[in-house]
Amino acid sequence: MSTTHHQHTGTAPEGTESGRTARRPVPVAKVVAGLAAAVVSGAAVYAVGLPSGVEIFRTDLADLTLPAALLVTLVLGSVVGIASARAPWRVVDIVVASVLGVAGGLLFSVWNAVAYPLVSAAVVPPVSAWYVGVWLLPGVLGGLVIRKPGAAVYTELVAAALSALIGSSWGFSVVWYGLLQGLGAELVLALFLYRSFRLPVALLAGAGAGVVVGVLDSILYYPELVPVLQLAYVGLAVVSGVVIAGLGSWALTRALARTGALAPLRSGRDVERV
Amino acid sequence: MRPPTDVLAGPVGVDTSAPLARANPVAKLAVAALVAVALVLTTDLVTVTVALACVLLALPFTGVGARGLWRRGWIVVVAAVPAGVVTALLGVDSGATWWAWQVGGTTLLDVTAGSAAAGLAITTRVLAIGLPGVVLLATTDPTDLADALGQVLRLPHRFVLAALAGMRLFGVLAEEWTTLTQARRARGLGGGGRLSRLRTFGSQLFALLVLAVRRATVLSTAMEARGFGAVRERTWARQSRFTGRDWLVVVGGLGVAVVSTAAGVAAGTWRLVLLG
């Protein structure tokens, strides 16, 4: 937490830092420049396009432009955001994020075992994208509650790993899913320099994760679908991410903060106690 | 409805002395990752079939019996089949039409030779990607996994151990759930019609989440009091070593990826998956 960051309650000290009490101001200019560079390089990859006519294993490189651009933006932006925001994690941040991740894994398992077979039997892609937001909720929630760089990725990853441990229909692949979905939400929070966690930011974080899961599903599960259906799938996944993960996490965070359970965390600081 | 709590029981009904079960968790992780990456790139029938065959050939050396495999892995099968059926119905059509469902002259669903082959490939692929993960999780104790992640992969130990601690809370939370239910019943909540039951279920879930977060903050205080996270380098009670045998396992995983991809390229069917 930086000294330049004033909350409603003034700059309350961050509890007991474990070991390192690093309190350097966030280098805003550097962060903005880094994030802009990430977005620009992603856009550049898309605008320039991968060279056409070059073939890898009989696949035209030009056809890989969109996934490549998305991946470049996602990874560069998240790395820049996490690396530059210089807010050291305290033990309480780590343990609460882990527990939220475990709760998310529980949600995933119950959803995968009970609800998912029922809803997935009734609809086919692209309509089936309407409920993917459920799998994006822990990441956005972790990001909003912990308010530290990397919180969204970490929480989503723990949730995904646990649901793999319990056993899910997709075996181990859910772990990679969790990592990338978390990065999608993380990038949005990084774009706001980890300074704003209001409703619009939460909704955008849900949208970011939604784009990732939509593209991933289209590539992995429905590569043979016609492009129009794939686009519809991604669009619906974004809507689902915004509503279920974005709005849901925001409401959950507020409700949690009202109970006082988040008092040791940054998100519990600026809540009026009833 | 209660959450499954036997997750932390570790390998149950598995011969832990089998060569692949004994391997370092990180090596098993690498195999699952390598196979997954190779099969994410393509959807052709040749590559995925060869990969699945390789994985099935390795099964006898994992110590997971047929019954154990089914108990852990049936859910993968349940996921694989619908994905294939959806592809057969909605996939890009080519070749002879086998079956079609028309409403008012427009074809809504149809199965052609091309889309059926694609569907079969998708099912095989989900199986081949899923099975190594099933084996990894069936033969690995979570504590060993955390040790390996911290010592072999050198992931930040504070995060690895906190995640393990969070998982240990998992079993406790299941008991909390029962306590919450009983407390609510004692106060006359939780009865009534289906809708009010759903509402109480929701508010009880939220109560569980609040409890979990409160526990986490108390736990973190206790951990810090014992010096957790105070030092950059920590010592480990259990040593997790990555030996030459583990490298062999990784090479085996690489072999599955290379052989299946080579088979696909040789057959001329290997094609990088695209958006559209």
Side-chain angles (χ1 to χ4, degrees):
Chain A
M1 181 171 163
S2 71
T3 43
T4 55
H5 181 179
H6 291 275
Q7 290 173 324
H8 306 309
T9 54
T11 47
E14 264 257 80
T16 52
E17 288 283 355
S18 61
R20 307 175 298 281
T21 45
R23 289 205 176 286
R24 286 157 300 192
V26 178
V28 176
K30 273 189 198 166
V31 181
V32 172
L35 290 175
V39 175
V40 167
S41 44
V45 170
Y46 186 71
V48 174
L50 296 176
S52 177
V54 179
E55 296 210 343
I56 298 187
F57 299 112
R58 290 193 320 283
T59 304
D60 198 342
L61 259 182
D63 293 330
L64 288 178
T65 302
L66 182 62
L70 281 176
L71 194 70
V72 165
T73 312
L74 198 66
V75 174
L76 271 181
S78 306
V79 167
V80 167
I82 294 171
S84 57
R86 288 231 191 100
W89 285 58
R90 297 162 303 148
V91 174
V92 68
D93 296 324
I94 301 178
V95 178
V96 171
S98 301
V99 166
L100 285 180
V102 171
L106 196 63
L107 166 80
F108 287 173
S109 322
V110 172
W111 174 258
N112 292 345
V114 182
Y116 173 73
L118 295 177
V119 289
S120 67
V123 288
V124 291
V127 185
S128 61
W130 72 264
Y131 49 74
V132 294
V134 173
W135 288 300
L136 312 175
L137 205 145
V140 182
L141 180 68
L144 295 182
V145 167
I146 310 294
R147 297 192 173 182
K148 293 268 163 130
V153 175
Y154 177 70
T155 311
E156 182 79 18
L157 190 60
V158 171
L162 187 67
S163 79
L165 268 173
I166 295 168
S168 83
S169 339
W170 304 274
F172 202 70
S173 66
V174 294
V175 175
W176 317 125
Y177 257 79
L179 181 66
L180 291 168
Q181 286 164 186
L183 280 177
E186 189 70 53
L187 178 64
V188 173
L189 297 178
L191 284 175
F192 286 90
L193 306 183
Y194 300 102
R195 299 235 171 158
S196 172
F197 298 89
R198 294 173 185 283
L199 180 60
V201 181
L203 296 183
L204 279 174
V211 171
V212 173
V213 74
V215 171
L216 267 183
D217 273 352
S218 303
I219 293 178
L220 285 179
Y221 288 90
Y222 314 116
E224 309 290 345
L225 286 195
V226 282
V228 174
L229 285 183
Q230 289 188 334
L231 267 181
Y233 189 91
V234 175
L236 259 176
V238 170
V239 172
S240 175
V242 167
V243 175
I244 300 178
L247 190 64
S249 305
W250 180 80
L252 254 180
T253 308
R254 269 181 52 141
L256 273 174
R258 284 219 182 101
T259 65
L262 303 180
L265 301 162
R266 285 167 69 179
S267 53
R269 252 336 117 57
D270 47 6
V271 176
E272 281 183 42
R273 293 289 152 68
V274 181
Chain B
M1 191 168 76
R2 278 194 51 173
T5 52
D6 56 349
V7 188
L8 300 171
V12 179
V14 173
D15 174 17
T16 45
S17 65
L20 286 178
R22 261 191 332 195
N24 191 295
V26 169
K28 300 178 206 170
L29 199 65
V31 172
L34 285 164
V35 174
V37 167
L39 296 188
V40 159
L41 298 179
T42 184
T43 54
D44 73 290
L45 197 50
V46 177
T47 307
V48 296
T49 309
V50 172
L52 185 61
C54 291
V55 170
L56 290 175
L57 280 178
L59 278 184
F61 305 99
T62 60
V64 186
R67 184 179 298 179
L69 192 71
W70 177 250
R71 207 181 55 216
R72 287 262 186 173
W74 64 268
I75 207 158
V76 177
V77 180
V78 168
V81 174
V85 171
V86 163
T87 304
L89 290 174
L90 297 175
V92 180
D93 296 317
S94 64
T97 306
W98 294 352
W99 178 86
W101 180 49
Q102 293 179 324
V103 175
T106 49
T107 308
L108 287 182
L109 297 173
D110 60 345
V111 178
T112 59
S115 67
L120 181 64
I122 292 283
T123 296
T124 314
R125 180 174 176 230
V126 175
L127 281 178
I129 291 179
L131 277 180
V134 170
V135 169
L136 163 83
L137 301 165
T139 58
T140 309
D141 183 288
T143 310
D144 291 341
L145 184 59
D147 277 332
L149 291 177
Q151 294 172 56
V152 177
L153 275 195
R154 307 240 163 209
L155 294 181
H157 65 257
R158 292 196 303 167
F159 287 87
V160 171
L161 292 175
L164 185 64
M167 287 197 188
R168 293 276 181 232
L169 271 183
F170 197 54
V172 183
L173 284 183
E175 281 169 38
E176 292 277 19
W177 180 260
T178 316
T179 314
L180 270 174
T181 311
Q182 287 167 346
R184 285 168 168 251
R185 289 301 293 148
R187 303 203 319 263
L189 292 166
R194 206 165 281 176
L195 198 69
S196 82
R197 264 189 205 186
L198 196 67
R199 206 176 300 132
T200 29
F201 179 75
S203 67
Q204 187 168 327
L205 264 185
F206 179 69
L208 188 73
L209 188 64
V210 173
L211 267 173
V213 173
R214 286 195 195 283
R215 266 182 185 282
T217 54
V218 171
L219 179 69
S220 74
T221 308
M223 284 162 85
E224 271 195 295
R226 293 166 163 225
F228 178 81
V231 286
R232 211 167 268 272
E233 282 297 318
R234 70 169 286 120
T235 52
W236 298 85
R238 290 169 304 268
Q239 295 299 315
S240 180
R241 289 204 178 77
F242 204 81
T243 60
R245 220 183 38 221
D246 297 318
W247 279 113
L248 270 182
V249 174
V250 176
V251 169
L254 191 63
V256 173
V258 170
V259 167
S260 55
T261 306
V265 172
T269 52
W270 198 96
R271 190 177 59 86
L272 205 56
V273 166
L274 315 170
L275 272 169

